[in-house]
Amino acid sequence: MQIATDAVRSISRRYVALARAALGMDMAWLTEHAEAMQTVQAVDGAAEQFGVAEGDATPLESSYCARVLDGRLPGTIPDVRANPVASALSVTERFGIGSYAGTPVQLPGGRVYGMLCGFGRGPQPSLSDSDLRVLEALAGAMGEEIAEHLADVEAHDLVRTRLERAARGDGMRIVVQPIVATDGSRTIGLEALARFDCPPPRPDEWFADAARYGMGTDLELGAIEASLALLPDVPSETYLSLNVSPSTLCHAALRAMLADVARERIVVELTEHASVADYGTLLGHIDALRADGVRLAVDDAGAGYASFRHILALRPDVVKFDRALVTGIDADPVREALVGALVTLGEGIGATVVAEGVETEGERAALRVLGVHAVQGYLVGRPAPLARPIRQR
Ligand code: C2E
Ligand code: CA
Ligand code: CA
């Protein structure tokens, strides 16, 4: 199997240049061995004089490399004419090889990746064992670097495969957490939160990984699709709240997914953590969703750098305060003042004001005094699978 990638090629080129400089030879190369062939992966020096180019593939059996590997040739040949095995090889004449040094590049576990070699047009009497030691050291370091890169590629492939599976709903499920009127009188909404079967353990790490791999929207849409499937079992007076990033909010697939559901029962939560590059475009998409009846929440308000600007620009229907503002609010006048200001702003634009991460009665009492409409947090309900109502036949 050929495993050369652009990254492996650039690692190879670096070491091949070092090898040629260290040996003082006319040309150096790295070959990759696979299925009885050797392919030139990187060359440095007078390659055209030898008639060699990257990508050339020749049978291993006709090569110096095969003979060094099985011991028929030594690692250094200062004068090829003086070596009967080397001088008898057709490649000696074809490429005009006068001197040679070569050593295998091994991957961990001993697998031979290929050979790092130097070639001279004429004899090079100074070529010695110490040159070979240098070449071996370079080959060892190159083997480690290539192996590290291949391990990275493998790890990335694994993450990508998991993300693709999860985006299809395989290995992902949805739990819901209630959003309850601050006086405890009723549940106004349920926030849908994704849970995954395998590591990483935290869902936000999954979404961050997905964004890094360019699959953020796929995974978010996968979660939304799975969440919407719960809607028929959500009590009719309760809204379903979905998390979206700005780029998913602007994706045509979101509107299409929402086309067939009761959109007036949907709230989309846009995190304040994500910076918004272009409010104009975002607002255009928000307006379209709103025209369909969907409501907008600003999530994690107070956690970002531009809460007031964000809220003023987006005019959300719901403002959700971040847990960082809520924890210990009953004993912290500064948090109280900040939440008070955000409540005033929220009310000024006619938004429902929700506090997240409420864990104690003290916090709830303080939030109630400040005029917060609803609370979400362990105090009133942990995220859990949606209880399905028993339907009459
Ligand atoms: P978030 O949207 O701010 O969700 C609220 C998080 O706070 C949830 O963590 C929830 O379990 C947690 N939480 C709720 N009440 C309390 C509390 O009283 N105390 C504490 N300490 N924590 C509380 P979770 O489910 O781990 O989700 C973390 C983040 O991952 C979410 O933050 C959201 O950014 C992201 N996420 C989760 N599910 C989805 C999803 O389906 N789609 C998208 N796009 N993002 C999601
Ligand atoms: Ca949220
Ligand atoms: Ca939040």
Side-chain angles (χ1 to χ4, degrees):
M1 184 191 59
Q2 296 273 117
I3 51 181
T5 62
D6 287 347
V8 170
R9 197 157 273 135
S10 82
I11 295 169
S12 311
R13 284 189 183 132
R14 227 176 336 111
Y15 281 95
V16 166
L18 281 172
R20 192 178 79 83
L23 296 170
M25 298 185 86
D26 295 318
M27 178 189 78
W29 75 17
L30 173 83
T31 54
E32 183 181 355
H33 296 179
E35 287 153 17
M37 297 295 281
Q38 60 170 5
T39 303
V40 179
Q41 207 169 90
V43 280
D44 188 72
E48 63 294 340
Q49 283 183 32
F50 287 85
V52 167
E54 286 182 6
D56 285 356
T58 48
L60 206 46
E61 191 34 49
S62 62
S63 70
Y64 280 47
C65 293
R67 286 162 179 76
V68 174
L69 281 172
D70 65 16
R72 280 180 284 168
L73 281 176
T76 52
I77 311 172
D79 185 355
V80 165
R81 284 171 312 181
N83 183 306
V85 176
S87 51
L89 280 171
S90 65
V91 289
T92 300
E93 195 175 334
R94 179 146 48 97
F95 295 130
I97 302 170
S99 48
Y100 170 87
T103 193
V105 175
Q106 288 181 315
L107 299 179
R111 189 188 137 199
V112 173
Y113 177 81
M115 291 277 288
L116 179 62
C117 307
F119 300 87
R121 303 286 295 161
Q124 187 162 325
S126 64
L127 214 51
S128 67
D129 275 356
S130 65
D131 290 314
L132 187 58
R133 298 289 96 80
V134 171
L135 198 60
E136 285 167 353
L138 288 172
M142 173 159 58
E144 273 173 31
E145 217 177 297
I146 291 176
E148 260 168 40
H149 169 75
L150 294 178
D152 274 359
V153 168
E154 216 169 278
H156 280 221
D157 286 351
L158 190 68
V159 175
R160 182 170 282 281
T161 308
R162 280 184 184 173
L163 287 169
E164 281 166 1
R165 273 188 46 212
R168 292 195 304 268
D170 185 0
M172 173 175 62
R173 63 208 159 75
I174 302 295
V175 292
V176 292
Q177 187 177 29
I179 299 161
V180 178
T182 312
D183 63 9
S185 57
R186 65 199 178 92
T187 296
I188 65 165
L190 291 176
E191 178 173 2
L193 294 160
R195 294 292 177 264
F196 298 90
D197 282 357
C198 54
R202 289 187 5 231
D204 46 337
E205 291 179 69
W206 272 83
F207 288 97
D209 276 353
R212 260 200 305 281
Y213 282 74
M215 294 174 64
T217 294
D218 291 340
L219 191 62
E220 288 184 28
L221 289 172
I224 288 169
E225 196 173 15
S227 304
L228 289 174
L230 302 177
L231 195 55
D233 290 328
V234 173
S236 57
E237 68 284 3
T238 306
Y239 66 76
L240 183 66
S241 217
L242 309 172
N243 289 287
V244 294
S245 64
S247 54
T248 302
L249 194 141
C250 296
H251 202 286
L254 177 65
R255 251 185 113 190
M257 252 181 212
L258 292 172
D260 298 327
V261 303
R263 284 163 297 204
E264 63 291 346
R265 297 185 56 205
I266 300 295
V267 170
V268 294
E269 298 191 5
L270 190 67
T271 179
E272 203 205 271
H273 287 296
S275 66
V276 175
D278 178 1
Y279 274 105
T281 308
L282 187 62
L283 273 171
H285 289 274
I286 288 172
D287 287 346
L289 285 169
R290 280 196 165 135
D292 290 344
V294 174
R295 279 169 287 166
L296 175 75
V298 162
D299 197 2
D300 310 320
Y305 55 93
S307 303
F308 287 90
R309 179 173 175 226
H310 206 58
I311 293 167
L312 284 171
L314 301 179
R315 306 260 160 172
D317 305 279
V318 179
V319 175
K320 297 185 78 176
F321 298 144
D322 192 67
R323 181 160 67 88
L325 281 190
V326 169
T327 304
I329 189 169
D330 43 336
D332 183 348
V334 176
R335 279 195 173 77
E336 224 173 61
L338 189 48
V339 168
L342 282 163
V343 170
T344 306
L345 175 64
E347 287 197 322
I349 59 165
T352 301
V353 174
V354 177
E356 284 190 316
V358 182
E359 294 184 352
T360 68
E361 280 298 351
E363 289 164 355
R364 171 159 49 184
L367 292 162
R368 196 170 172 182
V369 170
L370 288 168
V372 169
H373 301 123
V375 291
Q376 179 180 353
Y378 295 167
L379 178 70
V380 290
R382 292 198 173 236
L386 178 63
R388 288 172 188 269
I390 300 161
R391 292 215 169 79
Q392 307 225 313
R393 284 167 190 266

